[in-house]
Amino acid sequence: MPGCRRRSRIAVGLLLPLACVGLIRCGGGERPAALAEIPHPPLERFQPAVQQQFQAAIAELERATANSRRSPDALAAAQGSLGMLYHAYAIDDAAEACYRNAEALAPDEARWPYLQGHVLTRAGRSDEAAAAFERALRLSPDDTPTLIALAESHIQAGKLDAAEPLTRKASASGGARALVLAGRLAAARGAQAEAVTAFENALRLAPEADEIHYPLGQAYRDLGKLDLAREHLGRIGKRRAPLADPSLEAVLSLAQGSATHQKRRGTAYFQAGDYAKALEDYRRAAEIDPQDAMTHLNLGSTLVLLGDLDAGRIEFERGLALDPGLALGHFNLGTLAARQGRDPEALEHYRRALAVDPRMAKAHFNLANALRRSGNNLAASEHYHAVTEIEP
């Protein structure tokens, strides 16, 4: 492109900036504008397949930069594609620079500020993230993932009035994630009965989304319905309500070849409730690094949720064989045993989990439940009391 006489050659393992003069539209014409330098990190820590991914994306950006006949949209696509790759591997400073460049070159494309907002959220820069989501929403005012992302940013910042119209509009889609958002907003406003309705409706749509149980339990507790509160507070987890988000899914699909990133992508699918895709990634991670105990635990949890309890138990046992000190492994085996009606086995595993991690509240809670079912109410009460001390 004009003004880009020098091309920065980026080799794997080098930290070199890539900066050039791009073209951005202005009033129907085009004007030159300096783009941000991209802090390319060393890539030796990645496997060869991943290094090749980065080399191909960087080469495509160099070609787009050097070709004066390429449109700003083409250069924006090259910048954005490289940014998505960095985003997939959690190299957030480089991803942010690429997304900012892509947005400058293609200011009518909502995807780039939207993805930039997620990178900024992960970095804890909530005000900048909200501003990025707002820019994306101006370009795509009916996009449910953007509405939810911006509303979540406002709720996190305590800006409930700003979150309210966004939440109402997102909830019109009827999706579980939007209903969770509506419940969070209602709870933040002190409208606990309204929050319960939203959370219960979300659970009906996505019963696997155990992240909902904790705020629902809190809402029931605030309403004085303590039995319902205890029921839900004992089922807390991290699986998020699903949300169709093509832009983020496209980022996730790029991570390959590394056990760490396969596991990260599997976890993202797991939290989104897409267990079939999570299973593929966890299996791939286990193939790449069969000595990673946590991967086997994650794989086991996914298999259990997909209904293959025997295969799930085998993976839990493999994880514990690799690392006998994993309290979560014993907890998972205990939970599986309790689910299958084998309380004596469950009791043993919960106690072993607590021997490793005495402050594991969910192990105390499940142990108390198993003891109560076994008729040992006095011992059960001690563990219920431990839960209240650990998580008052």
Side-chain angles (χ1 to χ4, degrees):
M1 299 183 70
C4 259
R5 295 192 176 95
R6 284 197 317 169
R7 295 172 63 195
S8 298
R9 291 287 181 184
I10 309 300
V12 171
L14 298 180
L15 177 57
L16 296 174
L18 181 76
C20 69
V21 174
L23 295 175
I24 59 175
R25 296 181 182 84
C26 181
E30 294 178 336
R31 63 179 174 82
L35 300 181
E37 291 187 350
I38 302 170
H40 298 285
L43 301 176
E44 298 99 328
R45 63 189 174 97
F46 294 106
Q47 294 187 345
V50 179
Q51 294 182 19
Q52 290 169 11
Q53 276 186 288
F54 280 109
Q55 288 170 330
I58 291 169
E60 174 57 28
L61 178 54
E62 287 187 330
R63 283 192 294 271
T65 301
N67 189 343
S68 62
R69 290 190 295 273
R70 297 288 285 271
S71 69
D73 285 339
L75 182 54
Q79 289 272 359
S81 295
L82 180 57
M84 291 169 68
L85 194 57
Y86 281 129
H87 188 171
Y89 289 98
I91 306 173
D92 288 343
D93 55 347
E96 179 190 348
C98 290
Y99 286 151
R100 288 190 185 279
N101 289 343
E103 183 182 2
L105 289 158
D108 297 329
E109 174 60 67
R111 176 172 42 159
W112 307 131
Y114 174 70
L115 292 175
Q116 185 186 144
H118 281 286
V119 169
L120 292 166
T121 297
R122 187 158 64 186
R125 294 155 61 187
S126 54
D127 289 344
E128 294 174 77
F133 290 135
E134 285 170 351
R135 296 196 302 274
L137 194 63
R138 284 195 291 270
L139 295 169
S140 186
D142 296 320
D143 184 65
T144 298
T146 309
L147 287 164
I148 289 175
L150 181 54
E152 286 177 338
S153 292
H154 287 325
I155 292 173
Q156 190 72 22
K159 300 175 181 178
L160 305 186
D161 290 340
E164 196 277 332
L166 301 166
T167 303
R168 187 171 59 249
K169 189 171 183 178
S171 297
S173 69
R177 184 79 67 83
L179 289 170
V180 172
L181 182 68
R184 287 179 57 202
L185 180 59
R189 289 190 179 283
Q192 303 303 336
E194 182 182 338
V196 163
T197 299
F199 289 137
E200 289 283 15
N201 287 337
L203 266 178
R204 275 190 284 274
L205 287 176
E208 75 284 352
D210 53 13
E211 68 151 357
I212 301 172
H213 289 293
Y214 188 73
L216 177 56
Q218 288 182 311
Y220 274 129
R221 183 191 61 198
D222 292 345
L223 290 170
K225 299 181 178 181
L226 300 185
D227 287 342
L228 287 169
R230 282 191 290 269
E231 175 189 343
H232 287 284
L233 290 173
R235 299 170 63 188
I236 60 176
K238 296 182 179 180
R239 293 187 296 276
R240 303 190 72 188
L243 173 67
D245 190 340
S247 295
L248 271 184
E249 287 169 7
V251 169
L252 289 172
S253 70
L254 295 172
Q256 64 181 36
S258 158
T260 299
H261 295 294
Q262 291 290 149
K263 188 163 61 174
R264 181 182 292 122
R265 189 170 70 170
T267 299
Y269 282 130
F270 187 95
Q271 291 175 345
D274 193 337
Y275 303 123
K277 288 183 179 177
L279 183 63
E280 293 177 11
D281 283 306
Y282 285 143
R283 277 183 168 155
R284 176 62 179 145
E287 289 171 1
I288 295 170
D289 185 3
Q291 301 304 307
D292 187 328
M294 278 303 302
T295 295
H296 290 287
L297 297 190
N298 292 339
L299 178 54
S301 296
T302 309
L303 287 163
V304 167
L305 285 167
L306 288 170
D308 195 341
L309 305 190
D310 290 338
R313 184 176 65 253
I314 289 170
E315 293 300 329
F316 294 152
E317 290 170 348
R318 283 175 177 164
L320 277 174
L322 291 165
D323 186 352
L326 277 176
L328 184 60
H330 290 295
F331 175 83
N332 287 350
L333 282 170
T335 302
L336 183 57
R339 176 174 172 174
Q340 296 178 313
R342 303 193 311 273
D343 274 337
E345 182 182 337
L347 289 169
E348 178 186 351
H349 282 296
Y350 290 142
R351 287 178 174 130
R352 292 178 70 180
L354 289 170
V356 176
D357 182 1
R359 293 188 60 78
M360 191 177 194
K362 57 188 179 182
H364 280 290
F365 189 85
N366 284 8
L367 175 56
N369 287 339
L371 287 165
R372 180 172 50 81
R373 288 193 299 269
S374 302
N376 194 342
N377 291 330
L378 180 60
S381 68
E382 293 175 358
H383 289 282
Y384 284 133
H385 181 67
V387 176
T388 65
E389 288 188 335
I390 295 166
E391 294 188 1

